Amino acid sequence: MEVCAERRLELQKKQQKMKDQVTQHERFINDVEAKRRRAIQKYESEVRMKEQKTLELDNSRQQLEDLKKRHAHLTRKINAYNRYEKYLLRVLENMPENYIEMQDNMMISLMMRHKTLSETNKDLVIGLTEKADELEAYRQKLERTKQEHEKQLLSINSQLHQLQKIQEDKIDANQEKEESFMSNKAEFRRRRAEIGVIMMAINNIVERTTKLSDRGAEIMTLDEKLNRIQIHVKERIDVLKIASARESPSESRSKTSGKSRKLASSPKPEKNVQFVD
């Protein structure tokens, strides 16, 4: 029993030792794995860093090339502008006093003066171009106005000619009307004179036939005067008829014919005569 207990104890020690060894191996493996991961991460980081640095190097080289090109361009430009600088220096030497305000850098002042004059000249050229365009537009408008005026003038002349023709026709018509009026006026005067004679005869007959108790002929109308004459004639005829019945037929005929001739010789007015003033 004691031997078995010893073996069991030894076996337990061996198992514990193996567990410790396994634990150590696992810890070693974990450490190695962690180191491997860190190494891989470091490698990847360094690769990315290398790529970034490589890219930055390429960019720097490109910028360097661009700067070299710009430097060469500016160098050529400076060489080209040297003659202008010399020219400006000669201008400053020959420039009258107080032409520009005194400043630290006279060349910049001269260039600013030139810029101002150039912009002013540009504005003047633009204004001149606009005025030229405006003048051309006004010329075209003037031409159109002249054409319209000529058309209106032709139309007005045509209308004037037509109106003159109408006026001549009206003048001829007025002359004809005036001649007709003059002839009608003479006829009117003749008829008025005839009517006056007739009215005088009527008034004379009415005055002879008017009794003292009757109204005067001046206040009687034409119809009243004609009625008075008609009544008087009828009365005279009735009287003649009564007288002829008492006298002989021969005397009656002679007296009747005499009266008839007397009445026929006197003017007989028409009824409803209208007067024209």
Side-chain angles (χ1 to χ4, degrees):
M1 293 293 293
E2 292 179 359
V3 174
C4 291
E6 290 177 357
R7 287 182 179 179
R8 185 179 297 112
L9 184 60
E10 290 178 359
L11 182 61
Q12 287 178 355
K13 289 180 179 179
K14 288 181 180 181
Q15 288 179 352
Q16 184 65 37
K17 186 178 180 179
M18 289 179 64
K19 287 180 180 180
D20 293 337
Q21 289 178 356
V22 169
T23 302
Q24 289 178 359
H25 286 302
E26 288 178 354
R27 188 180 295 113
F28 177 75
I29 291 170
N30 290 331
D31 293 338
V32 172
E33 184 65 23
K35 290 179 180 180
R36 187 182 70 82
R37 288 197 201 95
R38 288 195 296 272
I40 291 172
Q41 290 177 357
K42 185 177 181 181
Y43 171 75
E44 291 176 353
S45 177
E46 289 179 354
V47 169
R48 288 194 298 271
M49 184 66 72
K50 180 183 178 182
E51 291 177 353
Q52 184 178 358
K53 294 298 182 181
T54 302
L55 183 60
E56 291 178 356
L57 180 61
D58 293 337
N59 291 332
S60 298
R61 288 176 178 174
Q62 184 64 37
Q63 291 178 0
L64 180 60
E65 291 296 328
D66 294 339
L67 290 173
K68 287 180 179 180
K69 291 180 180 179
R70 181 171 177 77
H71 180 267
H73 174 70
L74 292 174
T75 302
R76 290 194 300 270
K77 205 169 184 180
I78 290 171
N79 294 329
Y81 287 166
N82 281 330
R83 54 182 177 178
Y84 299 113
E85 184 179 5
K86 294 177 181 179
Y87 172 75
L88 291 175
L89 291 174
R90 289 197 301 270
V91 170
L92 289 173
E93 291 176 357
N94 298 322
M95 187 174 62
E97 295 181 358
N98 299 326
Y99 181 74
I100 57 176
E101 296 180 358
M102 298 298 295
Q103 293 184 2
D104 296 337
N105 195 336
M106 296 296 293
M107 188 176 295
I108 294 176
S109 300
L110 182 62
M111 292 175 65
M112 293 297 295
R113 177 75 173 179
H114 177 267
K115 183 179 179 181
T116 303
L117 294 175
S118 178
E119 290 177 353
T120 304
N121 182 60
K122 185 177 179 181
D123 294 337
L124 291 175
V125 170
I126 293 172
L128 182 62
T129 305
E130 292 177 353
K131 293 297 181 182
D133 295 337
E134 186 176 357
L135 179 61
E136 184 64 24
Y138 280 125
R139 285 178 180 174
Q140 293 178 0
K141 185 177 181 180
L142 179 61
E143 291 296 329
R144 290 194 299 268
T145 305
K146 286 182 178 180
Q147 293 177 1
E148 292 176 358
H149 176 70
E150 290 177 357
K151 291 180 181 179
Q152 291 179 359
L153 185 61
L154 291 175
S155 177
I156 291 171
N157 289 332
S158 177
Q159 293 177 2
L160 182 61
H161 178 70
Q162 293 177 0
L163 292 174
Q164 287 178 351
K165 185 177 180 181
I166 293 171
Q167 185 182 10
E168 291 175 357
D169 295 338
K170 287 184 177 180
I171 290 172
D172 295 338
N174 290 332
Q175 289 179 354
E176 292 178 358
K177 289 181 180 180
E178 187 176 357
E179 293 175 357
S180 176
F181 173 75
M182 295 302 293
S183 61
N184 292 332
K185 189 175 181 181
E187 182 66 21
F188 171 75
R189 288 178 179 175
R190 184 183 64 77
R191 290 183 181 181
R192 188 170 182 179
E194 292 179 354
I195 292 171
V197 172
I198 293 171
M199 290 301 298
M200 290 176 64
I202 291 172
N203 291 329
N204 292 329
I205 295 171
V206 170
E207 288 178 356
R208 291 179 183 179
T209 59
T210 300
K211 298 178 181 180
L212 296 174
S213 61
D214 295 335
R215 293 186 301 169
E218 292 82 5
I219 61 175
M220 295 175 64
T221 62
L222 181 62
D223 291 337
E224 292 176 348
K225 292 177 181 179
L226 294 175
N227 289 330
R228 175 64 58 83
I229 293 171
Q230 186 177 5
I231 292 169
H232 178 71
V233 172
K234 286 182 179 180
E235 290 178 353
R236 300 292 292 177
I237 291 172
D238 292 336
V239 171
L240 288 174
K241 286 180 180 180
I242 294 171
S244 63
R246 295 179 181 180
E247 294 177 355
S248 62
S250 61
E251 292 177 357
S252 177
R253 286 194 299 270
S254 63
K255 290 180 180 181
T256 303
S257 62
K259 293 291 184 181
S260 299
R261 286 194 298 272
K262 186 178 180 180
L263 292 173
S265 62
S266 62
K268 185 178 181 179
E270 296 180 356
K271 194 175 181 179
N272 295 331
V273 178
Q274 297 180 358
F275 295 96
V276 181
D277 294 334

